[in-house]
Amino acid sequence: MLGWQLKDATPVLAVLADRDPAWLADVAGRLAKRRNVAETVYELIHGLVVRSGCPVPATDGYVLGWTRKVTDKRLPERLRADPQTPVLVAHALSMGETPDRMTWSVGPEAPTHWPTAITTLVAEGCSTGPGWWTCARPGCCAAGGRGPEVPAGGAAAPRADPGGAAGTGPGLDRDGGRRPVAGRRVRAGGPGGTRRGGALPAGALAEMTGAVLFRTEKKLVRAQLTLVGKVLARERGAAGELLPAVAEAFGHEDTGVQERALKLVGRYLSAVDAEVRAELAEAAGLLGPAHRRAAVELFGDALGTADAGPYEEILPPVPGPEPVAPAAATVGALVEELVAKGLMEDSVAFERALDGLVRHAHRDRAAVVEAVREAFPTGVWETPHHFTHFTHGVHVVLASLLGLVERSVIDGHRAEAPERKSCSHEGLSGVLQARLWEAAALVGTDGLPFLLATPTLHTGGIDPLVLVERLRAYRDAGAEPAPVDLAQALVRVLRADPSAGRAAGEAAALGTPAGLRLAAWLRDEDALGATVRLFPGAIGDPRGSGG
């Protein structure tokens, strides 16, 4: 509904203009709950919210879309003017993973620097009394990650339970409400994770550490271990209380976290008594096999005499190649594949769809043309110069089938030779472009009954015997393989397959130039390898200046 770029929601919003506000609000809420959808169609959801007057849908997907929309050189002004800012900033800071735009590596002087923009707006709100910022969330606002807890009335609230909330669910407080607690409490710095009220007692920090280390967020766990390490560096005598809490991480699912915890325990093990040492040794039994040797060296006999044997990595079996399904059996199924979002990003789906388009256009061109006209908005294809420089993916083949691409444009691109000085990315993309221009020239004709280069396996490879059968079908139909299609098929054919020898013989027996070319290719013992080309002026080229 939103077009190829999925940005302009104006047509959809115009169609829905006379809908009931409650209905619009319901649709906005449903879309906002789908993260992958919400971050892509932010404009549509926002338009529905504005028209319905419903509350701002503070969901991860909607917030991601919003941050990407407002991040530009006018970021402070856009945040100041947007009534959504108080709700969405608070939610963004409570997410398990901070939105990418808010963590861009730009300096504080940059206009797109989110921390500076937020701090500026908070200062403005605080200086003028209760204003746009009425968030009661600790750690959301002040520079350095900590700030006064300001309730809606504007007065600073005293803090209780400085460590307990760190062990609650991700982004949730003990009452289930959204709250950016754990990560920012731990990263706040200072003994016990707080900059106010002095250091936490060792017992309270140990309790908080035990609650944090069972969590799945690796950044949070590592931050807590770093905090405990800093406290122990100042107060070595607290090791007896803190190290048993650190040992909770021995059973963490991440082996890197296990290693950090073991090293921290080892650094201060000499500061604990025999009873605590035995407790730590017992907990070390939770460590994975990769850390068994280090644990034995650290605890010795206290760890136990059972020999677990040498460490052996157990990996899942290497997945085998999966066959690619045949092309869509009907025109209707083909059109469904062609209009699917992300077709050009899914190589297997693209190959199947392109081959299906060629096959069905060869069998019944009129049926495919009618289906394409119904399924695709062809107006943009008819604009001047739309296909002059770019294929726009499979669209150039569809438009050519409908007669909407000038033949001179297609022939011009087919005659183009690749630039010698083009980068590797352009070279690789050029292969795909050459295939699309060729298909656009031949689709719907007897010269292209189907594609030779369609993979038979999800890895992109082609079974040698299958390629022989395809060439045989071309010979029997009196068709000459398209040059680019055949070249791509030869690159993809599995020359190391056990059937390659047999396929070479059958290919030669076809008696066609393409068959003989395939036979020679399969029998060639020199594997296809990469080459390095040097041009004058390239780095390290003695013929150039080394630019």
Side-chain angles (χ1 to χ4, degrees):
M1 292 189 299
L2 298 177
W4 185 256
Q5 297 296 330
L6 297 178
K7 291 181 179 179
D8 186 9
T10 304
V12 180
L13 294 172
V15 171
L16 302 178
D18 60 346
R19 292 280 184 163
D20 182 75
W23 186 90
L24 296 175
D26 179 61
V27 173
R30 289 170 181 261
L31 293 176
K33 290 178 181 178
R34 302 180 183 181
R35 174 166 177 154
N36 292 337
V37 174
E39 62 181 297
T40 304
V41 299
Y42 163 78
E43 293 281 10
L44 173 59
I45 301 175
H46 181 247
L48 295 173
V49 169
V50 171
R51 284 160 175 74
S52 67
C54 68
V56 176
T59 66
D60 289 2
Y62 187 76
V63 168
L64 285 171
W66 175 70
T67 57
R68 293 168 185 172
K69 177 65 177 178
V70 301
T71 302
D72 59 25
K73 295 182 179 180
R74 299 181 297 111
L75 177 62
E77 291 78 8
R78 299 191 68 168
L79 292 178
R80 186 181 293 110
D82 193 339
Q84 303 178 109
T85 297
V87 175
L88 298 187
V89 166
H91 182 92
L93 295 176
S94 72
M95 291 170 59
E97 183 175 353
T98 306
D100 53 355
R101 295 299 190 274
M102 301 181 74
T103 58
W104 273 1
S105 299
V106 294
E109 70 284 352
T112 56
H113 190 246
W114 272 84
T116 298
I118 294 176
T119 302
T120 300
L121 297 182
V122 169
E124 292 175 358
C126 293
S127 64
T128 58
W132 69 270
W133 187 266
T134 56
C135 174
R137 292 170 164 81
C140 286
C141 50
R146 300 301 305 168
E149 300 182 18
V150 184
R159 175 167 54 183
D161 187 20
T168 57
L172 302 175
D173 62 19
R174 291 180 182 264
D175 296 325
R178 283 269 172 200
R179 189 173 184 179
V181 282
R184 275 162 296 283
R185 286 181 186 269
V186 172
R187 292 194 297 267
T194 176
R195 290 180 177 175
R196 297 184 302 184
L200 280 176
L205 178 58
E207 181 182 357
M208 181 180 74
T209 300
V212 169
L213 296 186
F214 83 92
R215 294 171 63 121
T216 58
E217 301 97 321
K218 289 184 286 187
K219 290 183 179 180
L220 172 62
V221 173
R222 289 196 293 265
Q224 185 67 25
L225 291 175
T226 299
L227 172 62
V228 173
K230 291 180 179 179
V231 173
L232 287 173
R234 293 191 302 268
E235 304 175 32
R236 192 178 181 88
E241 290 186 272
L242 293 179
L243 290 189
V246 171
E248 296 284 344
F250 288 171
H252 197 276
E253 61 183 14
D254 183 78
T255 57
V257 170
Q258 294 182 18
E259 182 179 11
R260 291 171 69 103
L262 183 61
K263 288 181 177 180
L264 182 58
V265 168
R267 193 176 304 134
Y268 297 101
L269 186 61
S270 60
V272 302
D273 57 28
E275 182 180 355
V276 174
R277 183 186 180 93
E279 180 182 350
L280 296 173
E282 181 179 359
L286 299 173
L287 291 166
H291 305 304
R292 176 71 181 182
R293 177 178 296 180
V296 170
E297 293 176 355
L298 181 61
F299 295 106
D301 296 339
L303 190 62
T305 58
D307 185 7
Y311 169 65
E312 180 180 357
E313 187 70 72
I314 302 176
L315 299 175
V318 177
E322 301 176 2
V324 175
T330 65
V331 174
L334 168 65
V335 171
E336 289 183 6
E337 294 182 1
L338 291 172
V339 301
K341 180 183 176 182
L343 176 64
M344 297 300 295
E345 284 74 41
D346 187 332
S347 57
V348 173
F350 165 76
E351 294 288 349
R352 289 185 64 249
L354 182 60
D355 182 49
L357 174 60
V358 169
R359 288 176 182 270
H360 283 286
H362 178 259
R363 297 170 187 167
D364 191 346
R365 177 169 184 154
V368 177
V369 167
E370 181 182 359
V372 170
R373 288 191 185 278
E374 292 180 356
F376 289 86
T378 60
V380 67
W381 297 349
E382 302 177 62
T383 57
H385 311 299
H386 183 69
F387 291 106
T388 300
H389 302 291
F390 306 103
T391 62
H392 299 283
V394 76
H395 283 191
V396 72
V397 185
L398 298 172
S400 176
L401 194 62
L402 272 57
L404 300 178
V405 186
E406 294 183 11
R407 186 69 192 195
S408 60
V409 173
I410 296 177
D411 292 342
H413 281 286
R414 292 188 68 191
E416 286 179 345
E419 291 285 341
R420 282 177 52 82
K421 294 186 178 181
S422 62
C423 71
S424 59
H425 304 90
E426 292 176 345
L428 291 173
S429 62
V431 174
L432 175 59
Q433 299 306 309
R435 293 183 65 205
L436 290 171
W437 286 118
E438 183 178 80
L442 301 175
V443 65
T445 69
D446 292 338
L448 196 65
F450 57 85
L451 294 180
L452 297 171
T454 304
T456 60
L457 299 175
H458 82 286
T459 57
I462 300 177
D463 184 293
L465 292 174
V466 173
L467 183 53
V468 172
E469 288 302 315
R470 291 174 180 176
L471 290 177
R472 181 177 288 112
Y474 262 71
R475 182 199 64 180
D476 295 344
E480 188 69 25
V484 177
D485 184 33
L486 176 59
Q488 181 72 75
L490 293 177
V491 172
R492 287 177 170 174
V493 71
L494 301 172
R495 301 170 68 228
D497 191 86
S499 65
R502 174 187 166 192
E506 294 187 12
L510 293 175
T512 62
L516 294 174
R517 186 176 173 186
L518 173 59
W521 179 245
L522 292 174
R523 289 168 176 165
D524 188 353
E525 295 182 359
D526 294 332
L528 180 67
T531 59
V532 177
R533 298 178 296 168
L534 292 178
F535 300 106
I539 296 176
D541 184 2
R543 297 171 293 172
S545 60

